[in-house]
């Protein structure tokens, strides 16, 4: 996986600040689902092979797991980037989901925003998470 460490994320943030000519603290972390790069991003990264636990993602929004749903399911590609605060759109109907390195959930890499219906707390109570490596 491309974004497997905190240092990779920090390097991406630093390079984005340099290319945008903006202070690093003025940047905002954004995500976009479906695989197309984040608009206005100078250093977008597309993460492939993610798995989701605790919910399903139908390509548009989170949905509840069914009794026969697997414990983890593949999810579409996600583009992430650091952009200037003025280029980040305020989003509603989303929840920040933790992205872990493995299914053990011992090392959180970052949090990624994903579309959801209802309250974000509903999905947090279900311990929804994204995983880079399925072990």
């Amino acid at each position: 996986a491309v974004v497997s460490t905190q240092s990779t994320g920090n390097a991406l943030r630093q390079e984005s600040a340099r290319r945008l000519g903006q202070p690093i603290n003025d940047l905002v972390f954004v995500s976009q689902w479906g695989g197309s790069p984040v608009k206005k991003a100078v250093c977008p990264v597309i993460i492939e092979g993610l798995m989701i636990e605790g919910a399903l993602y139908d390509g548009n929004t989170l949905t509840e797991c069914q009794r026969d749903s697997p414990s983890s399911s593949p999810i579409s590609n996600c583009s992430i980037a650091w952009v200037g605060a003025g280029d980040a759109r305020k989003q509603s109907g989303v929840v920040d989901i933790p992205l872990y390195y493995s299914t053990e959930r011992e090392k959180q890499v970052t949090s990624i925003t994903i579309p959801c219906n209802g309250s974000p707390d509903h999905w947090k109570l279900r311990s929804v998470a994204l995983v880079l490596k399925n072990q």
Side-chain angles (χ1 to χ4, degrees):
V2 174
V3 183
S4 61
T5 65
Q6 300 267 206
S7 60
T8 302
N10 288 334
L12 177 64
R13 186 177 185 192
Q14 290 172 354
E15 181 62 15
S16 296
R18 187 186 69 74
R19 289 187 186 184
L20 290 168
Q22 294 187 19
I24 199 167
N25 291 336
D26 289 352
L27 299 184
V28 177
F29 185 73
V30 295
S31 60
Q32 179 174 307
W33 291 91
S36 58
V38 172
K39 289 180 170 69
K40 305 261 183 165
V42 292
C43 300
V45 172
I46 296 178
I47 306 174
E48 300 175 340
L50 288 175
M51 301 295 285
I52 188 167
E53 298 178 339
L56 300 172
Y57 183 67
D58 65 9
N60 295 311
T61 190
L62 291 177
T63 60
E64 298 285 345
C65 289
Q66 304 304 312
R67 261 184 265 152
D68 58 349
S69 297
S71 60
S72 63
S73 303
I75 191 169
S76 59
N77 295 344
C78 178
S79 176
I80 59 170
W82 288 93
V83 298
D87 293 325
R89 295 178 311 171
K90 188 73 173 165
Q91 296 181 357
S92 60
V94 296
V95 61
D96 283 334
I97 299 296
L99 170 63
Y100 292 99
Y101 185 71
S102 69
T103 56
E104 284 82 31
R105 297 186 181 196
E106 292 174 355
K107 182 178 179 186
Q108 183 176 342
V109 178
T110 190
S111 291
I112 295 181
T113 302
I114 189 167
C116 69
N117 288 322
S119 168
D121 290 337
H122 171 84
W123 300 103
K124 290 179 182 182
L125 288 171
R126 281 158 178 68
S127 299
V128 177
L130 299 168
V131 178
L132 287 169
K133 289 173 67 173
N134 192 12
Q135 297 179 340

